[in-house]
Amino acid sequence: MNAYWPAPDAWQQALRNAITDPVELLRQLQLPLSLSNGDAQNSFELRVPRALVSRMKPGNPKDPLLLQVLPSAREMIATPGFSNDPLAELSTNPSAGVVHKYRDRVLLITSGGCAINCRYCFRRHFPYQQNQLGPEQWQRALAYIDANRELSEAILSGGDPLVTPDTRLARMITDLAGIDHLKRIRIHTRLPVVIPERVTRSLVEALTATRLQAVVVLHCNHPQEVDDSVRTAITRLREAGITVLNQAVLLRDINDSVVTLQQLSETLFEVGVLPYYLFVLDPVAGAAHFDISDSEAQKLIGELQTRLPGYLVPRLAREIPGRPSKTLLPPDQTDV
Ligand SMILES: *Cc1c(COP(=O)(O)O)cnc(C)c1O
Ligand code: SF4
């Protein structure tokens, strides 16, 4: 049993040891230092756990994992329509740390931090300082959920909620389980992919000891992100009866091909994960070079649908501020 679980603090050490210096990253990958950009690094610093770096291919400046994290000069080109708050989250904050946009589910900003800084992140400009859930804000968030009887699901999000220590997560889950009308707890996290040791025994216990049904939604964009250590982490969740889904972001030069998307779905399913959403990019300043047009995205998903069983085709979606749910983009099969 002991060999089955990672050391309880291994993930925190991996978090602290993440690479934040582009020079170190590029040296390790035997790539020219000119690939990185100082202004982009200053506006949103590089952060990548070593476990993910070990899955990058040395000598490949176009490695799909590298392109997700390396500060690039292309981020400094201002593009009309790409802004700092593309999802208008600042106007849907009923209480600090609470984002309530959809009727039956509420999102709680559990942590401002992440294990990794993804260059396309829609929250790269989000003012987390005003939105931390400290003890007082937490009580107010609980009161808000308690007073909204239509809510059936609480989503721990961030940043990455699994940057939070297990003891605190366990207390939060216990508090939420005390609200009768909640049925489910959902965790949106990239940590089991980028630091697989994060799936500790105490985390799994916190998610199974509760009456709430637990759902973990991973964020994985490319099949190369999944290795044996990720498989092991997901197995720990699945063996405990936890539903594990994945959402990906459609990113130019990273996963914008039918072959890559097909491999992503198949690789995820092999390790016990069902695809959930494939998001088109949120128009966040600094990420325009990752953008794919809606029509290209709809053609990709239309073709993907001809190559995979329905349950392995993610829903192509976008978040449009003011809508009562995510907005689905229909597959286009006119040229297939
Ligand atoms: C995306 C999101 C959700 C979850 O939506 P699902 O379609 O249930 O995955 C909930 N709340 C907010 C604020 C969101 O942005
Ligand atoms: S892990 Fe998620 S929230 Fe964190 S930087 Fe990446 S995309 Fe953003």
Side-chain angles (χ1 to χ4, degrees):
M1 197 67 179
N2 279 344
Y4 184 74
W5 296 101
D9 59 348
W11 69 270
Q12 275 159 323
Q13 218 164 333
L15 203 59
R16 277 193 300 273
N17 286 341
I19 294 182
T20 54
D21 178 2
V23 173
E24 186 186 354
L25 177 64
L26 292 168
R27 284 228 168 94
Q28 191 166 323
L29 295 171
Q30 296 151 39
L31 287 167
L33 304 185
S34 57
L35 280 182
S36 187
N37 177 273
D39 292 332
Q41 163 76 357
N42 289 338
S43 81
F44 188 52
E45 78 159 5
L46 168 79
R47 172 166 299 276
V48 58
R50 287 170 200 273
L52 193 70
V53 176
S54 73
R55 297 171 219 154
M56 296 176 185
K57 303 249 163 65
N60 181 8
K62 296 193 166 147
D63 183 276
L65 278 46
L66 176 67
L67 291 180
Q68 294 182 53
V69 298
L70 186 68
S72 145
R74 292 189 293 182
E75 294 169 37
M76 305 318 292
I77 304 165
T79 308
F82 285 72
S83 77
N84 285 353
D85 182 22
L87 305 183
E89 295 214 311
L90 299 179
S91 59
T92 44
N93 248 192
S95 174
V98 179
V99 185
H100 186 192
K101 291 187 183 175
Y102 307 150
R103 180 147 69 192
D104 68 321
R105 46 224 194 274
V106 65
L107 197 141
L108 300 167
I109 298 177
T110 311
S111 143
C114 277
I116 178 170
N117 282 344
C118 311
R119 308 314 297 177
Y120 52 84
C121 182
F122 66 114
R123 288 208 171 97
R124 61 184 281 172
H125 310 283
F126 196 73
Y128 285 110
Q129 283 69 19
Q130 293 107 275
N131 273 288
Q132 297 284 356
L133 280 169
E136 251 171 68
Q137 291 92 328
W138 178 243
Q139 289 310 319
R140 260 180 277 144
L142 288 173
Y144 178 82
I145 298 170
D146 196 40
N148 281 261
R149 302 199 56 84
E150 283 185 325
L151 290 174
S152 56
E153 183 166 319
I155 303 172
L156 305 186
S157 181
D160 197 309
L162 291 192
V163 167
T164 311
D166 288 336
T167 44
R168 177 157 176 251
L169 281 173
R171 271 199 309 275
M172 295 175 85
I173 293 169
T174 304
D175 287 348
L176 290 166
I179 299 174
D180 282 345
H181 50 269
L182 285 186
K183 297 184 181 133
R184 291 176 301 277
I185 175 91
R186 190 196 315 183
I187 297 188
H188 277 194
T189 180
R190 192 146 164 61
L191 258 157
V193 177
V194 301
I195 303 181
E197 300 97 314
R198 179 63 190 91
V199 182
T200 56
R201 185 176 195 163
S202 50
L203 174 67
V204 171
E205 279 170 2
L207 292 174
T208 47
T210 174
R211 71 169 182 87
L212 299 170
Q213 273 190 294
V215 181
V216 170
V217 181
L218 300 175
H219 173 182
C220 175
N221 297 319
H222 194 280
Q224 200 180 313
E225 289 172 48
V226 179
D227 69 358
D228 277 346
S229 64
V230 177
R231 176 194 296 267
T232 303
I234 292 163
T235 303
R236 292 186 183 116
L237 295 168
R238 299 271 295 126
E239 285 183 348
I242 297 163
T243 299
V244 186
L245 307 173
N246 184 64
Q247 52 188 35
V249 182
L250 186 56
L251 298 164
R252 180 164 302 282
D253 300 333
I254 292 173
N255 59 9
D256 59 332
S257 84
V258 179
V259 171
T260 304
L261 291 173
Q262 180 181 358
Q263 281 172 356
L264 177 61
S265 278
E266 289 187 333
T267 303
L268 287 168
F269 190 64
E270 276 163 25
V271 300
V273 182
L274 280 171
Y276 180 32
Y277 280 128
L278 176 64
F279 284 111
V280 293
L281 190 77
D282 295 315
V284 58
H289 56 290
F290 291 120
D291 196 33
I292 309 277
S293 72
D294 283 5
S295 59
E296 277 175 277
Q298 288 170 281
K299 285 202 173 89
L300 275 171
I301 207 83
E303 195 178 341
L304 191 65
Q305 219 172 25
T306 67
R307 297 188 181 207
L308 285 171
Y311 60 89
L312 291 187
V313 181
R315 302 163 178 80
L316 183 67
R318 108 153 358 108
E319 186 166 344
I320 301 179
R323 294 272 179 94
S325 70
K326 304 281 189 263
T327 301
L328 298 185
L329 306 185
D332 176 357
Q333 295 190 321
T334 47
D335 297 335
V336 174

